Amino acid sequence: MNLFAIIGEALRALRLNRLRTGLTMLGMIIGVAAVVLMLSIGQGAQTKINQSIASMGSNLFLVVPGATSSGGLSFGSGSIKTLTISDAQAIAELHSVSATGPVISGTAQLSFSAKNWSTVITGTTPNYFDVGNWEFESGTAFTESDLRSGARVVVLGAITAENLFGTVDPIGKTMRITNRPFLVVGVLTAKGQSLSGRDQDDNVFIPITTSERQITGNQFPGSIRYMLVQGQSAETMDEAENEIIQLLRQRHRISDGMENDFTVRNLTAIANVATGAAKIMSIVLGAIASVSLLVGGIGIMNIMLVSVTERTREIGIRMAIGANRRAILTQFLLEAMMICIMGGLIGVLLGIGGAWLVSEIADMLIVITSGMIGLAFFFASAVGIFFGFYPAQKAASLKPVDALRYE
Amino acid sequence: MYAPQQNNVTQTLIKLDKLCKSYHLDDANGKTMSTQVLFDVALNIQQGEFVAIMGHSGSGKSTLMNILGCLDTPTSGSYWLAERNVAALSNDELAYIRNRHIGFVFQGFNLLKRMTALDNVATPLLYAGINRSNSRQRALEQLQRTGLEKFAMHHPNQLSGGQQQRVAISRALINQPSLLLADEPTGNLDSQTSREIMTLFEQLNQQQGLTIVLVTHEEDIAAYAKRLIRLKDGVVVYDENHNVMNKPSPTQ
Ligand SMILES: Nc1ncnc2c1ncn2[C@@H]1O[C@H](COP(=O)(O)OP(=O)(O)OP(=O)(O)O)[C@@H](O)[C@H]1O
Ligand SMILES: [Mg+2]
């Protein structure tokens, strides 16, 4: 019997039991859609983390005041004042370090013509932009001489620029920060969210000296909130970390056996952990979705077994008029596989639709790759063959006389 | 091998030797009970014969027919079909023989309910590897020969018993078999329709030389055949070759 004829027979059988076929297919549809959706969410999370890491800059350390044991990253508290601008300058001199970016920050009221905007203001050095991997949409960073003189110049984050200036080109314009006039020298390219989920583009940057003297003020002059340190290379990160710690202990006159009054964190290592976590999350999501695919497969096996029992007499008649075992096996296997393949197709479409919906409603990044769709489809077919084979085999191994006598 | 021999010597189509059949049943206690249904059946049927098998209910007629039709296997003894030992054939070879060389007609018609008469008749051709449109064409011609072309697109439940049986006979004949087996083909039909079916069998036997073996409970149906075999409790108790020339025609 040729394959086309068997496909025809299988299709006919499926059509005759539309409701049952549809319900069985539903199990497959849900399974495949869940796999596609979960994989795309997992992949989206991974991509997002990779983007944040790429935007963060490479070989980075974060140095914050306060001991490690005082409770993790404490750079919101502002109560510990052990790090200074000169610490940052000294660290920048180390062999294993290429640059540092010390930061003091606060919030400030901004205005341009009639518009007002309140946001985070960061006082830092020109190196900060390199270290933090910032790109300029237009203009440039402020300069070392701006830093020395405490000039009133400002670099705007992308969102701040948009909110305050709209369509006007901000470069060369004078805006006000807590009512003092500042010249806009640069606008940054948008970066999106940081690893910790903070928006990095609603921000303004001014020279750290200007900030200390005129905007945020400083209870302990020269102290900073944190600094970014860029290591010379990925290979020398451990060495750099040790040198930074030794240098700061020396500068802060911490005797042996005493605790550090600062904390050095390797951000690249943290990023790697985050990437690993996202990968595990993808795998877990995929595994959970696979369970529903498995359940769908068992549903198919169940229905095919019922179908074989119900159609035993039909199988007997077919054998009596010349169907061999392979023809019977192929017909039942094809029935199971058609359910899977059609269910898989609909499931993939539904999964893509669902992913789109999630990205619209939950504002999550969703990534769908052809590999994912291929994988879901491959699994659907595999499930069809795996769970369809036993019932088909059962049908084919019936003895003609027993099948014919079956009531 | 199965092509009708053209020489004058009649060929032995079916040869049974010491054929026995037992059924094994598990009783309530899990013990296997064995009941023997056929006892040392020995039988020769030549090509072109028209044989009727009679016997009381439970005498083993259907069991014998199923073995002849390669639907069941004997417990012991041998079955030679066209000089081939059936016991030595594989499942695929048996399927091939059922498809090409044997046509089976059942008391209950055994049509595929969800198919039209046309598709029912065409299905054996599909299993013979002929494509669907050719199969349908040939099936339609076969239905025309039995006067059923009007009912080609009817489903079995839209046909009378006699029409269904004629569709089943068309299906059995579609691959031009050398052996037609019919297990009480008229058992569900009235006497008028039975006569029509038997006339059809008689024609097939006389005009095409088709070998026919049929089981019946009725003497007047058996009278259409040229040879009568009686079974009693699984034993052949009577085997008479009617003289072909002297056989009175039942239609007279
Ligand atoms: N599958 C089976 N398992 C066990 N016993 C069986 C089976 N099939 C038939 N038998 C037994 O074999 C014996 C012969 O059955 P068979 O169907 O051949 O009779 P039959 O001559 O065709 O009868 P009828 O005229 O009623 O059709 C019966 O006693 C029956 O109970
Ligand atoms: Mg019987």
Side-chain angles (χ1 to χ4, degrees):
Chain A
M1 189 180 201
N2 66 45
L3 196 62
F4 282 118
I6 301 184
I7 290 174
E9 297 291 293
L11 272 177
R12 185 210 302 267
L14 292 180
R15 257 206 316 274
L16 279 163
N17 272 310
R18 273 192 208 93
L19 181 64
R20 181 195 284 182
T21 306
L23 287 174
T24 316
M25 211 183 277
L26 196 62
M28 221 51 225
I29 291 172
I30 292 171
V32 171
V35 168
V36 170
L37 185 63
M38 292 299 143
L39 287 180
S40 67
I41 287 175
Q43 189 67 49
Q46 237 170 304
T47 308
K48 199 176 163 90
I49 284 173
N50 288 342
Q51 280 173 358
S52 310
I53 289 168
S55 77
M56 188 176 80
S58 48
N59 309 332
L60 273 197
F61 293 104
L62 177 69
V63 185
V64 295
T68 316
S69 56
S70 67
L73 295 176
S74 55
F75 64 119
S77 70
S79 56
I80 310 160
K81 301 294 177 189
T82 53
L83 277 185
T84 63
I85 295 175
S86 44
D87 283 340
Q89 282 162 349
I91 288 171
E93 302 296 316
L94 288 171
H95 274 308
S96 55
V97 167
S98 62
T100 59
V103 166
I104 61 176
S105 62
T107 52
Q109 191 67 30
L110 318 177
S111 64
F112 176 73
S113 61
K115 286 200 192 110
N116 283 290
W117 188 250
S118 171
T119 188
V120 180
I121 185 160
T122 302
T124 187
T125 62
N127 279 340
Y128 178 86
F129 299 103
D130 271 346
V131 173
N133 205 23
W134 289 99
E135 310 246 328
F136 282 82
E137 187 71 39
S138 57
T140 57
F142 43 78
T143 62
E144 288 293 334
S145 74
D146 290 333
L147 191 67
R148 277 192 299 276
S149 63
R152 286 184 186 162
V153 287
V154 61
V155 170
L156 301 177
I159 288 184
T160 316
E162 163 131 18
N163 283 332
L164 216 50
F165 288 87
T167 54
V168 179
D169 178 12
I171 305 294
K173 300 284 184 309
T174 301
M175 59 175 282
R176 290 180 169 270
I177 301 177
T178 51
N179 261 329
R180 292 182 177 84
F182 274 72
L183 180 70
V184 181
V185 294
V187 177
L188 298 168
T189 306
K191 252 188 182 188
Q193 288 181 3
S194 72
L195 260 188
S196 55
R198 253 178 340 126
D199 180 20
Q200 303 178 88
D201 299 316
D202 188 9
N203 213 339
V204 297
F205 302 86
I206 60 175
I208 191 166
T209 46
T210 319
S211 176
E212 191 179 75
R213 286 174 215 154
Q214 302 180 32
I215 305 295
T216 47
N218 206 337
Q219 209 184 337
F220 305 94
S223 73
I224 58 171
R225 197 154 253 193
Y226 66 92
M227 71 173 103
L228 291 179
V229 179
Q230 185 162 44
Q232 198 66 254
S233 71
E235 291 75 41
T236 56
M237 287 299 275
D238 288 344
E239 191 187 328
E241 186 166 348
N242 281 332
E243 285 184 17
I244 293 166
I245 291 170
Q246 287 319 313
L247 181 69
L248 285 179
R249 282 183 73 91
Q250 206 181 316
R251 286 178 60 87
H252 295 186
R253 298 197 173 79
I254 300 167
S255 47
D256 290 350
M258 294 292 285
E259 227 184 338
N260 292 341
D261 61 355
F262 58 89
T263 303
V264 179
R265 291 195 182 257
N266 184 335
L267 289 185
T268 311
I270 292 174
N272 288 342
V273 171
T275 317
K279 241 184 219 138
I280 289 171
M281 185 180 95
S282 298
I283 293 169
V284 169
L285 286 178
I288 291 170
S290 308
V291 171
S292 59
L293 207 56
L294 193 74
V295 172
I298 292 169
I300 287 177
M301 176 141 111
N302 192 10
I303 291 298
M304 293 311 294
L305 281 173
V306 170
S307 177
V308 166
T309 310
E310 228 182 49
R311 287 155 65 193
T312 303
R313 214 183 155 78
E314 176 193 326
I315 294 165
I317 296 171
R318 286 178 183 277
M319 285 175 160
I321 60 176
N324 59 21
R325 290 184 170 183
R326 193 152 26 86
I328 302 286
L329 183 85
T330 314
Q331 182 184 335
F332 279 86
L333 199 55
L334 273 175
E335 282 182 29
M337 281 186 66
M338 277 173 186
I339 290 177
C340 284
I341 288 171
M342 283 188 263
L345 266 176
I346 300 171
V348 163
L349 293 180
L350 215 69
I352 293 174
W356 176 81
L357 214 67
V358 166
S359 74
E360 286 292 300
I361 291 172
D363 198 24
M364 276 164 78
L365 181 67
I366 300 293
V367 174
I368 297 169
T369 64
S370 55
M372 241 175 239
I373 292 169
L375 193 76
F377 215 70
F378 168 78
F379 269 115
S381 314
V383 162
I385 295 173
F386 187 80
F387 290 106
F389 190 80
Y390 174 66
Q393 175 67 42
K394 204 177 156 190
S397 61
L398 286 168
K399 226 170 132 185
V401 69
D402 295 334
L404 272 171
R405 205 179 279 132
Y406 188 86
E407 292 302 331
Chain B
M1 169 180 47
Y2 293 96
Q5 302 285 315
Q6 295 305 312
N7 54 21
N8 291 333
V9 186
T10 47
Q11 292 290 307
T12 304
L13 186 62
I14 291 170
K15 181 168 150 54
L16 302 180
D17 191 27
K18 290 198 189 126
L19 191 97
C20 297
K21 177 71 184 177
S22 306
Y23 287 109
H24 302 283
L25 287 177
D26 291 332
D27 68 6
N29 305 323
K31 273 194 283 181
T32 304
M33 302 232 309
S34 181
T35 40
Q36 191 163 357
V37 178
L38 294 177
F39 296 86
D40 291 333
V41 175
L43 208 58
N44 280 318
I45 296 175
Q46 311 295 322
Q47 235 165 44
E49 277 200 85
F50 187 173
V51 182
I53 298 175
M54 296 191 75
H56 293 297
S57 185
S59 57
K61 305 181 296 292
S62 295
T63 305
L64 181 59
M65 289 295 270
N66 288 336
I67 291 171
L68 293 180
C70 298
L71 297 169
D72 203 354
T73 46
T75 312
S76 66
S78 58
Y79 170 23
W80 296 78
L81 178 63
E83 280 155 14
R84 285 189 81 178
N85 183 4
V86 172
L89 299 176
S90 71
N91 282 312
D92 278 3
E93 286 171 313
L94 291 173
Y96 182 87
I97 288 174
R98 289 194 296 266
N99 185 235
R100 307 295 173 92
H101 302 295
I102 298 175
F104 220 112
V105 178
F106 303 90
Q107 178 177 0
F109 320 132
N110 271 347
L111 295 174
L112 293 169
K113 289 188 204 67
R114 302 182 289 188
M115 282 188 188
T116 60
L118 185 70
D119 282 338
N120 262 290
V121 177
T123 305
L125 292 175
L126 291 181
Y127 288 120
I130 292 162
N131 72 36
R132 195 170 283 271
S133 61
N134 282 347
S135 302
R136 286 219 168 118
Q137 184 55 41
R138 275 177 59 182
L140 192 63
E141 288 162 12
Q142 185 67 44
L143 283 174
Q144 275 161 356
R145 251 171 263 145
T146 31
L148 282 168
E149 69 271 25
K150 280 205 301 274
F151 305 102
M153 299 318 283
H154 286 227
H155 284 259
N157 60 5
Q158 298 162 330
L159 295 170
S160 74
Q163 288 163 344
Q164 286 187 62
Q165 194 60 299
R166 276 188 289 162
V167 171
I169 292 167
S170 301
R171 180 179 70 184
L173 296 176
I174 188 81
N175 260 330
Q176 291 159 317
S178 42
L179 174 63
L180 184 71
L181 299 171
D183 191 354
E184 300 190 46
T186 60
N188 287 6
L189 304 176
D190 64 30
S191 54
Q192 170 62 29
T193 318
S194 299
R195 274 197 295 279
E196 284 169 24
I197 297 287
M198 290 317 296
T199 311
L200 179 63
F201 279 3
E202 198 170 42
Q203 281 171 2
L204 288 166
N205 175 249
Q206 279 169 6
Q207 290 166 13
Q208 295 171 29
L210 181 68
T211 314
I212 300 177
V213 180
L214 85 90
V215 166
T216 183
H217 277 289
E218 290 150 88
E219 298 285 348
D220 58 331
I221 295 294
Y224 282 84
K226 296 176 201 160
R227 175 177 168 192
L228 180 65
I229 291 170
R230 285 188 194 275
L231 273 183
K232 191 174 183 226
D233 299 332
V235 178
V236 177
V237 292
Y238 179 86
D239 183 353
E240 183 218 41
N241 248 312
H242 298 277
N243 186 311
V244 177
M245 301 313 289
N246 298 341
K247 180 178 171 271
S249 174
T251 44
Q252 283 176 358

